[in-house]
Amino acid sequence: MAGRWKELLVWQRSHEIVLDIYKLTKGFPKLETYSLIDQIKRAAYSVPANIVEGHSKKSKKEFIRYLYISRGSLEELRYFLLLSKDLNYISKEEYDNFEEKLTEISYLLNQLIKSLTSTPSTPSTTSTTSKASTKSKTLRKET
């Protein structure tokens, strides 16, 4: 079903990070507009975008590959935030707050990958996601 990726807790948390990053980078020096700010934003929105793209693929194997790409983007974002802290563009408190959120997203991504690699192959990514997330309540936001 279209849009089922919106139910994934890992997508929700990574989307929230993107919104937070856009707010955070408004305070960066203008000279960083086309360099560090651009890189931070790209790394941030790549995380949920790859979850969405992978979720739309026909196989679980492809979905998992895109989740690994998301994880790589998350680590790239982690580095850019460390660099921003070291350049004094963000405070240690802001950095620590983001680090906590990134750690949660990393955990959720790893849990989703783990649940998908431990379930038998199915032709439909949507049904795979549903089966995998029933295994772990941490993967979907509870309503």
Side-chain angles (χ1 to χ4, degrees), residues 87-108:
L87 291 170
N88 295 313
Y89 294 163
I90 64 174
S91 69
K92 182 177 180 341
E93 294 76 26
E94 288 171 312
Y95 172 78
D96 290 343
N97 182 43
F98 273 96
E99 183 60 34
E100 188 176 312
K101 292 176 183 181
L102 294 175
T103 299
E104 178 191 15
I105 293 167
S106 181
Y107 172 80
L108 292 170

PDB file of all heavy atoms in Angstrom, residues 87-108:
ATOM      1  N   LEU A  87      33.500  23.652  15.084  1.00  0.00           N
ATOM      2  CA  LEU A  87      33.650  24.976  14.471  1.00  0.00           C
ATOM      3  C   LEU A  87      32.883  26.054  15.241  1.00  0.00           C
ATOM      4  O   LEU A  87      32.847  27.209  14.838  1.00  0.00           O
ATOM      5  CB  LEU A  87      33.153  24.942  13.014  1.00  0.00           C
ATOM      6  CG  LEU A  87      33.998  24.129  12.042  1.00  0.00           C
ATOM      7  CD1 LEU A  87      33.272  23.981  10.704  1.00  0.00           C
ATOM      8  CD2 LEU A  87      35.373  24.770  11.850  1.00  0.00           C
ATOM      9  N   ASN A  88      32.245  25.643  16.351  1.00  0.00           N
ATOM     10  CA  ASN A  88      31.444  26.533  17.198  1.00  0.00           C
ATOM     11  C   ASN A  88      30.217  27.120  16.484  1.00  0.00           C
ATOM     12  O   ASN A  88      29.777  28.219  16.797  1.00  0.00           O
ATOM     13  CB  ASN A  88      32.301  27.657  17.793  1.00  0.00           C
ATOM     14  CG  ASN A  88      33.329  27.102  18.744  1.00  0.00           C
ATOM     15  OD1 ASN A  88      33.028  26.274  19.595  1.00  0.00           O
ATOM     16  ND2 ASN A  88      34.562  27.545  18.585  1.00  0.00           N
ATOM     17  N   TYR A  89      29.668  26.354  15.531  1.00  0.00           N
ATOM     18  CA  TYR A  89      28.430  26.766  14.877  1.00  0.00           C
ATOM     19  C   TYR A  89      27.219  26.318  15.686  1.00  0.00           C
ATOM     20  O   TYR A  89      26.153  26.901  15.580  1.00  0.00           O
ATOM     21  CB  TYR A  89      28.319  26.177  13.467  1.00  0.00           C
ATOM     22  CG  TYR A  89      29.353  26.690  12.489  1.00  0.00           C
ATOM     23  CD1 TYR A  89      29.594  26.004  11.311  1.00  0.00           C
ATOM     24  CD2 TYR A  89      30.090  27.859  12.718  1.00  0.00           C
ATOM     25  CE1 TYR A  89      30.525  26.460  10.386  1.00  0.00           C
ATOM     26  CE2 TYR A  89      31.025  28.318  11.812  1.00  0.00           C
ATOM     27  CZ  TYR A  89      31.234  27.609  10.648  1.00  0.00           C
ATOM     28  OH  TYR A  89      32.160  28.059   9.725  1.00  0.00           O
ATOM     29  N   ILE A  90      27.417  25.263  16.471  1.00  0.00           N
ATOM     30  CA  ILE A  90      26.363  24.805  17.382  1.00  0.00           C
ATOM     31  C   ILE A  90      26.984  24.571  18.752  1.00  0.00           C
ATOM     32  O   ILE A  90      28.193  24.307  18.864  1.00  0.00           O
ATOM     33  CB  ILE A  90      25.637  23.520  16.882  1.00  0.00           C
ATOM     34  CG1 ILE A  90      26.591  22.322  16.806  1.00  0.00           C
ATOM     35  CG2 ILE A  90      24.949  23.779  15.552  1.00  0.00           C
ATOM     36  CD1 ILE A  90      25.903  21.002  16.460  1.00  0.00           C
ATOM     37  N   SER A  91      26.161  24.646  19.760  1.00  0.00           N
ATOM     38  CA  SER A  91      26.643  24.441  21.129  1.00  0.00           C
ATOM     39  C   SER A  91      26.802  22.954  21.431  1.00  0.00           C
ATOM     40  O   SER A  91      26.268  22.097  20.724  1.00  0.00           O
ATOM     41  CB  SER A  91      25.655  25.054  22.122  1.00  0.00           C
ATOM     42  OG  SER A  91      24.446  24.310  22.124  1.00  0.00           O
ATOM     43  N   LYS A  92      27.508  22.669  22.495  1.00  0.00           N
ATOM     44  CA  LYS A  92      27.657  21.282  22.940  1.00  0.00           C
ATOM     45  C   LYS A  92      26.295  20.691  23.286  1.00  0.00           C
ATOM     46  O   LYS A  92      26.027  19.534  22.996  1.00  0.00           O
ATOM     47  CB  LYS A  92      28.597  21.193  24.138  1.00  0.00           C
ATOM     48  CG  LYS A  92      28.816  19.751  24.592  1.00  0.00           C
ATOM     49  CD  LYS A  92      29.789  19.649  25.723  1.00  0.00           C
ATOM     50  CE  LYS A  92      30.041  18.255  26.215  1.00  0.00           C
ATOM     51  NZ  LYS A  92      29.111  17.204  25.923  1.00  0.00           N
ATOM     52  N   GLU A  93      25.419  21.503  23.875  1.00  0.00           N
ATOM     53  CA  GLU A  93      24.076  21.035  24.237  1.00  0.00           C
ATOM     54  C   GLU A  93      23.266  20.666  22.988  1.00  0.00           C
ATOM     55  O   GLU A  93      22.577  19.639  22.976  1.00  0.00           O
ATOM     56  CB  GLU A  93      23.331  22.092  25.063  1.00  0.00           C
ATOM     57  CG  GLU A  93      23.928  22.354  26.432  1.00  0.00           C
ATOM     58  CD  GLU A  93      25.203  23.209  26.406  1.00  0.00           C
ATOM     59  OE1 GLU A  93      25.397  24.013  25.458  1.00  0.00           O
ATOM     60  OE2 GLU A  93      26.027  23.057  27.319  1.00  0.00           O
ATOM     61  N   GLU A  94      23.350  21.500  21.970  1.00  0.00           N
ATOM     62  CA  GLU A  94      22.642  21.200  20.714  1.00  0.00           C
ATOM     63  C   GLU A  94      23.196  19.915  20.103  1.00  0.00           C
ATOM     64  O   GLU A  94      22.443  19.042  19.667  1.00  0.00           O
ATOM     65  CB  GLU A  94      22.792  22.346  19.703  1.00  0.00           C
ATOM     66  CG  GLU A  94      21.995  23.575  20.069  1.00  0.00           C
ATOM     67  CD  GLU A  94      22.320  24.760  19.180  1.00  0.00           C
ATOM     68  OE1 GLU A  94      23.523  25.053  18.962  1.00  0.00           O
ATOM     69  OE2 GLU A  94      21.356  25.403  18.709  1.00  0.00           O
ATOM     70  N   TYR A  95      24.504  19.805  20.096  1.00  0.00           N
ATOM     71  CA  TYR A  95      25.155  18.615  19.566  1.00  0.00           C
ATOM     72  C   TYR A  95      24.702  17.369  20.330  1.00  0.00           C
ATOM     73  O   TYR A  95      24.336  16.357  19.725  1.00  0.00           O
ATOM     74  CB  TYR A  95      26.678  18.758  19.620  1.00  0.00           C
ATOM     75  CG  TYR A  95      27.385  17.486  19.256  1.00  0.00           C
ATOM     76  CD1 TYR A  95      27.512  17.098  17.923  1.00  0.00           C
ATOM     77  CD2 TYR A  95      27.908  16.656  20.252  1.00  0.00           C
ATOM     78  CE1 TYR A  95      28.141  15.912  17.585  1.00  0.00           C
ATOM     79  CE2 TYR A  95      28.537  15.474  19.919  1.00  0.00           C
ATOM     80  CZ  TYR A  95      28.657  15.102  18.590  1.00  0.00           C
ATOM     81  OH  TYR A  95      29.266  13.919  18.276  1.00  0.00           O
ATOM     82  N   ASP A  96      24.743  17.441  21.658  1.00  0.00           N
ATOM     83  CA  ASP A  96      24.345  16.296  22.483  1.00  0.00           C
ATOM     84  C   ASP A  96      22.891  15.907  22.233  1.00  0.00           C
ATOM     85  O   ASP A  96      22.560  14.716  22.187  1.00  0.00           O
ATOM     86  CB  ASP A  96      24.556  16.599  23.968  1.00  0.00           C
ATOM     87  CG  ASP A  96      26.035  16.664  24.348  1.00  0.00           C
ATOM     88  OD1 ASP A  96      26.888  16.167  23.577  1.00  0.00           O
ATOM     89  OD2 ASP A  96      26.332  17.228  25.428  1.00  0.00           O
ATOM     90  N   ASN A  97      22.025  16.891  22.064  1.00  0.00           N
ATOM     91  CA  ASN A  97      20.619  16.633  21.773  1.00  0.00           C
ATOM     92  C   ASN A  97      20.465  15.880  20.450  1.00  0.00           C
ATOM     93  O   ASN A  97      19.734  14.885  20.362  1.00  0.00           O
ATOM     94  CB  ASN A  97      19.839  17.955  21.748  1.00  0.00           C
ATOM     95  CG  ASN A  97      18.371  17.752  21.507  1.00  0.00           C
ATOM     96  OD1 ASN A  97      17.742  16.864  22.054  1.00  0.00           O
ATOM     97  ND2 ASN A  97      17.807  18.594  20.644  1.00  0.00           N
ATOM     98  N   PHE A  98      21.174  16.337  19.428  1.00  0.00           N
ATOM     99  CA  PHE A  98      21.119  15.655  18.137  1.00  0.00           C
ATOM    100  C   PHE A  98      21.745  14.270  18.216  1.00  0.00           C
ATOM    101  O   PHE A  98      21.225  13.318  17.630  1.00  0.00           O
ATOM    102  CB  PHE A  98      21.803  16.485  17.044  1.00  0.00           C
ATOM    103  CG  PHE A  98      20.879  17.464  16.396  1.00  0.00           C
ATOM    104  CD1 PHE A  98      20.840  18.781  16.827  1.00  0.00           C
ATOM    105  CD2 PHE A  98      20.031  17.082  15.368  1.00  0.00           C
ATOM    106  CE1 PHE A  98      19.977  19.701  16.239  1.00  0.00           C
ATOM    107  CE2 PHE A  98      19.169  17.982  14.770  1.00  0.00           C
ATOM    108  CZ  PHE A  98      19.140  19.299  15.209  1.00  0.00           C
ATOM    109  N   GLU A  99      22.837  14.156  18.934  1.00  0.00           N
ATOM    110  CA  GLU A  99      23.501  12.863  19.071  1.00  0.00           C
ATOM    111  C   GLU A  99      22.562  11.825  19.683  1.00  0.00           C
ATOM    112  O   GLU A  99      22.526  10.667  19.250  1.00  0.00           O
ATOM    113  CB  GLU A  99      24.774  13.014  19.913  1.00  0.00           C
ATOM    114  CG  GLU A  99      25.580  11.759  20.061  1.00  0.00           C
ATOM    115  CD  GLU A  99      26.082  11.162  18.755  1.00  0.00           C
ATOM    116  OE1 GLU A  99      26.390  11.913  17.810  1.00  0.00           O
ATOM    117  OE2 GLU A  99      26.165   9.918  18.683  1.00  0.00           O
ATOM    118  N   GLU A 100      21.792  12.242  20.668  1.00  0.00           N
ATOM    119  CA  GLU A 100      20.820  11.343  21.295  1.00  0.00           C
ATOM    120  C   GLU A 100      19.768  10.889  20.276  1.00  0.00           C
ATOM    121  O   GLU A 100      19.431   9.701  20.203  1.00  0.00           O
ATOM    122  CB  GLU A 100      20.149  12.072  22.465  1.00  0.00           C
ATOM    123  CG  GLU A 100      19.254  11.190  23.306  1.00  0.00           C
ATOM    124  CD  GLU A 100      18.693  11.951  24.495  1.00  0.00           C
ATOM    125  OE1 GLU A 100      19.471  12.628  25.200  1.00  0.00           O
ATOM    126  OE2 GLU A 100      17.469  11.871  24.708  1.00  0.00           O
ATOM    127  N   LYS A 101      19.268  11.811  19.491  1.00  0.00           N
ATOM    128  CA  LYS A 101      18.265  11.478  18.470  1.00  0.00           C
ATOM    129  C   LYS A 101      18.851  10.579  17.386  1.00  0.00           C
ATOM    130  O   LYS A 101      18.203   9.635  16.927  1.00  0.00           O
ATOM    131  CB  LYS A 101      17.692  12.750  17.846  1.00  0.00           C
ATOM    132  CG  LYS A 101      16.849  13.563  18.804  1.00  0.00           C
ATOM    133  CD  LYS A 101      16.399  14.865  18.169  1.00  0.00           C
ATOM    134  CE  LYS A 101      15.605  15.708  19.153  1.00  0.00           C
ATOM    135  NZ  LYS A 101      15.144  16.965  18.529  1.00  0.00           N
ATOM    136  N   LEU A 102      20.087  10.861  16.975  1.00  0.00           N
ATOM    137  CA  LEU A 102      20.729  10.048  15.949  1.00  0.00           C
ATOM    138  C   LEU A 102      20.991   8.635  16.449  1.00  0.00           C
ATOM    139  O   LEU A 102      20.882   7.671  15.691  1.00  0.00           O
ATOM    140  CB  LEU A 102      22.034  10.705  15.491  1.00  0.00           C
ATOM    141  CG  LEU A 102      21.891  12.035  14.758  1.00  0.00           C
ATOM    142  CD1 LEU A 102      23.254  12.636  14.458  1.00  0.00           C
ATOM    143  CD2 LEU A 102      21.060  11.909  13.505  1.00  0.00           C
ATOM    144  N   THR A 103      21.324   8.509  17.708  1.00  0.00           N
ATOM    145  CA  THR A 103      21.530   7.186  18.299  1.00  0.00           C
ATOM    146  C   THR A 103      20.242   6.378  18.263  1.00  0.00           C
ATOM    147  O   THR A 103      20.252   5.187  17.937  1.00  0.00           O
ATOM    148  CB  THR A 103      22.068   7.321  19.741  1.00  0.00           C
ATOM    149  OG1 THR A 103      23.331   8.008  19.683  1.00  0.00           O
ATOM    150  CG2 THR A 103      22.239   5.974  20.407  1.00  0.00           C
ATOM    151  N   GLU A 104      19.116   7.030  18.567  1.00  0.00           N
ATOM    152  CA  GLU A 104      17.825   6.333  18.508  1.00  0.00           C
ATOM    153  C   GLU A 104      17.510   5.891  17.079  1.00  0.00           C
ATOM    154  O   GLU A 104      17.090   4.751  16.854  1.00  0.00           O
ATOM    155  CB  GLU A 104      16.693   7.235  19.017  1.00  0.00           C
ATOM    156  CG  GLU A 104      15.339   6.541  18.918  1.00  0.00           C
ATOM    157  CD  GLU A 104      14.137   7.441  19.140  1.00  0.00           C
ATOM    158  OE1 GLU A 104      14.288   8.677  19.101  1.00  0.00           O
ATOM    159  OE2 GLU A 104      13.033   6.895  19.332  1.00  0.00           O
ATOM    160  N   ILE A 105      17.719   6.773  16.122  1.00  0.00           N
ATOM    161  CA  ILE A 105      17.435   6.433  14.725  1.00  0.00           C
ATOM    162  C   ILE A 105      18.337   5.291  14.258  1.00  0.00           C
ATOM    163  O   ILE A 105      17.886   4.367  13.573  1.00  0.00           O
ATOM    164  CB  ILE A 105      17.575   7.668  13.817  1.00  0.00           C
ATOM    165  CG1 ILE A 105      16.483   8.683  14.161  1.00  0.00           C
ATOM    166  CG2 ILE A 105      17.500   7.276  12.334  1.00  0.00           C
ATOM    167  CD1 ILE A 105      16.696  10.063  13.556  1.00  0.00           C
ATOM    168  N   SER A 106      19.591   5.332  14.640  1.00  0.00           N
ATOM    169  CA  SER A 106      20.527   4.265  14.291  1.00  0.00           C
ATOM    170  C   SER A 106      20.050   2.931  14.851  1.00  0.00           C
ATOM    171  O   SER A 106      20.055   1.905  14.161  1.00  0.00           O
ATOM    172  CB  SER A 106      21.915   4.610  14.826  1.00  0.00           C
ATOM    173  OG  SER A 106      22.831   3.617  14.491  1.00  0.00           O
ATOM    174  N   TYR A 107      19.612   2.954  16.088  1.00  0.00           N
ATOM    175  CA  TYR A 107      19.085   1.744  16.721  1.00  0.00           C
ATOM    176  C   TYR A 107      17.869   1.223  15.949  1.00  0.00           C
ATOM    177  O   TYR A 107      17.768   0.028  15.651  1.00  0.00           O
ATOM    178  CB  TYR A 107      18.718   2.030  18.179  1.00  0.00           C
ATOM    179  CG  TYR A 107      17.984   0.883  18.834  1.00  0.00           C
ATOM    180  CD1 TYR A 107      18.679  -0.231  19.308  1.00  0.00           C
ATOM    181  CD2 TYR A 107      16.600   0.907  18.971  1.00  0.00           C
ATOM    182  CE1 TYR A 107      18.011  -1.299  19.891  1.00  0.00           C
ATOM    183  CE2 TYR A 107      15.920  -0.154  19.554  1.00  0.00           C
ATOM    184  CZ  TYR A 107      16.630  -1.254  20.014  1.00  0.00           C
ATOM    185  OH  TYR A 107      15.961  -2.304  20.578  1.00  0.00           O
ATOM    186  N   LEU A 108      16.949   2.125  15.618  1.00  0.00           N
ATOM    187  CA  LEU A 108      15.737   1.721  14.900  1.00  0.00           C
ATOM    188  C   LEU A 108      16.064   1.161  13.513  1.00  0.00           C
ATOM    189  O   LEU A 108      15.479   0.162  13.089  1.00  0.00           O
ATOM    190  CB  LEU A 108      14.762   2.893  14.790  1.00  0.00           C
ATOM    191  CG  LEU A 108      14.129   3.359  16.106  1.00  0.00           C
ATOM    192  CD1 LEU A 108      13.390   4.676  15.906  1.00  0.00           C
ATOM    193  CD2 LEU A 108      13.204   2.296  16.678  1.00  0.00           C
TER     194      LEU A 108
END
